[in-house]
């Protein structure tokens, strides 16, 4: 069984990553869950720089206020770790090293970052698939703040699942549910095909450098 995990929270330089919402989606089954985490400490106990970071992500990114949430973070992370014990591969999409470190520390194992396989962003995938699905928490927020599009961990996870399954089905030319090995091979092929231009450029640059060296030798 493979899974996708998406995290929303606060990327604070002084405090690392502080999680606020976690979503887990199965790649092989129609199963998904998400949780909004209760604050581990009172807002006013943090340094001004951390509070500024919290305010920014709450207003501009995921829209979840610091005081919101009812799930104990430590207990949730322990539960998710136990769920993931039987996982073959765990995928995520993060552009922050602190998020990767938090997730790998929580799970006690490596995770596969879809950024390394040239996965588009969730906003690009939403336009590509014409798909948007939010959790109840974000659905209620969208009804009161119409002009704000917040990042929802559950929606992101489902979009990444759609992208992975599309690659796997294109790879096998089949609508059957792919297994872990098929997904790995499909991602590897996608990376090879889409990184090919960069590879060719690098090879051409290397050849040009060799030719320049030969010209220098001839001129000596």
């Amino acid at each position: 069984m493979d899974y996708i995990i998406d995290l929303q929270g606060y990327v604070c330089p002084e405090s690392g990553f502080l999680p606020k919402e976690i979503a887990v989606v199965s790649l092989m089954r129609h199963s998904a869950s998400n949780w909004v985490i209760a604050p581990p400490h009172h807002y006013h106990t943090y340094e001004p720089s951390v509070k500024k970071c919290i305010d920014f992500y709450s207003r501009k990114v995921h829209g979840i206020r610091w005081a919101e949430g009812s799930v104990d973070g430590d207990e949730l992370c322990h539960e998710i770790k136990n769920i993931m014990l039987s996982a073959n591969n765990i995928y995520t999409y993060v552009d922050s090293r602190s998020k990767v470190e938090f997730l790998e520390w929580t799970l006690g194992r490596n995770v596969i970052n879809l950024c390394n396989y040239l996965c588009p962003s969730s906003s690009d995938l939403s336009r590509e698939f014409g798909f948007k699905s939010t959790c109840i928490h974000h659905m209620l927020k969208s009804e009161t703040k119409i002009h704000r599009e917040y990042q929802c961990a559950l929606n992101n996870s489902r979009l990444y699942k759609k992208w992975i399954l599309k690659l796997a089905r294109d790879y096998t030319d089949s609508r059957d549910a792919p297994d872990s090995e098929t997904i790995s091979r499909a991602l590897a092929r996608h990376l090879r095909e889409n990184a090919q231009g960069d590879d060719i450029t690098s090879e051409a640059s290397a050849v040009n450098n060799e030719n320049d060296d030969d010209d220098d030798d001839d001129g000596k």
Side-chain angles (χ1 to χ4, degrees):
M1 185 69 68
D2 290 357
Y3 295 90
I4 296 176
I5 297 181
D6 190 70
L7 308 170
Q8 294 299 319
Y10 314 92
V11 182
C12 302
E14 295 84 356
S15 302
F17 178 71
L18 303 174
K20 193 61 181 174
E21 181 191 16
I22 300 179
V24 178
V25 172
S26 168
L27 273 171
M28 282 76 178
R29 297 179 181 174
H30 298 293
S31 300
S33 295
N34 79 300
W35 304 266
V36 177
I37 298 172
H41 305 289
H42 196 281
Y43 174 82
H44 294 294
T45 62
Y46 290 95
E47 295 293 326
S49 59
V50 177
K51 288 192 284 188
K52 182 178 180 180
C53 171
I54 291 172
D55 293 342
F56 172 80
Y57 280 89
S58 292
R59 290 197 310 266
K60 302 293 186 180
V61 183
H62 50 68
I64 306 173
R65 296 193 302 271
W66 180 253
E68 294 178 321
S70 58
V71 179
D72 182 272
D74 291 338
E75 292 180 3
L76 174 62
C77 289
H78 180 71
E79 179 181 349
I80 293 176
K81 181 178 181 179
N82 287 336
I83 294 172
M84 295 294 110
L85 288 176
S86 61
N88 293 323
N89 295 308
I90 302 171
Y91 296 94
T92 190
Y93 180 101
V94 292
D95 53 7
S96 165
R97 183 60 201 168
S98 62
K99 275 190 177 183
V100 175
E101 291 173 349
F102 169 82
L103 192 52
E104 292 185 336
W105 176 83
T106 297
L107 301 177
R109 57 179 292 176
N110 291 334
V111 297
I112 300 171
N113 190 350
L114 292 173
C115 286
N116 297 334
Y117 289 90
L118 308 181
C119 176
S121 67
S122 59
S123 57
D124 289 339
L125 291 176
S126 182
R127 288 190 291 270
E128 177 182 344
F129 294 119
F131 176 87
K132 183 173 179 61
S133 170
T134 63
C135 64
I136 294 294
H137 193 90
H138 281 97
M139 181 194 73
L140 295 174
K141 286 185 178 295
S142 67
E143 292 180 351
T144 57
K145 299 181 179 180
I146 299 174
H147 300 295
R148 172 66 65 186
E149 289 288 336
Y150 290 120
Q151 290 290 317
C152 172
L154 184 60
N155 178 62
N156 290 350
S157 297
R158 286 173 169 164
L159 285 167
Y160 302 139
K161 176 178 180 176
K162 281 181 172 291
W163 181 75
I164 289 175
L165 292 183
K166 181 179 183 297
L167 292 185
R169 286 164 178 164
D170 289 346
Y171 178 77
T172 60
D173 196 24
S174 170
R175 300 296 297 175
D176 294 339
D179 57 20
S180 296
E181 184 64 25
T182 299
I183 290 173
S184 296
R185 290 179 178 178
L187 286 169
R189 186 180 75 167
H190 175 77
L191 180 61
R192 287 195 306 271
E193 290 179 348
N194 289 275
Q196 187 174 10
D198 294 335
D199 293 341
I200 291 174
T201 301
S202 299
E203 291 174 5
S205 177
V207 170
N208 288 335
N209 289 335
E210 290 177 1
N211 290 338
D212 290 341
D213 292 340
D214 291 340
D215 291 341
D216 291 340
D217 291 339
D218 292 341
K220 289 180 181 178

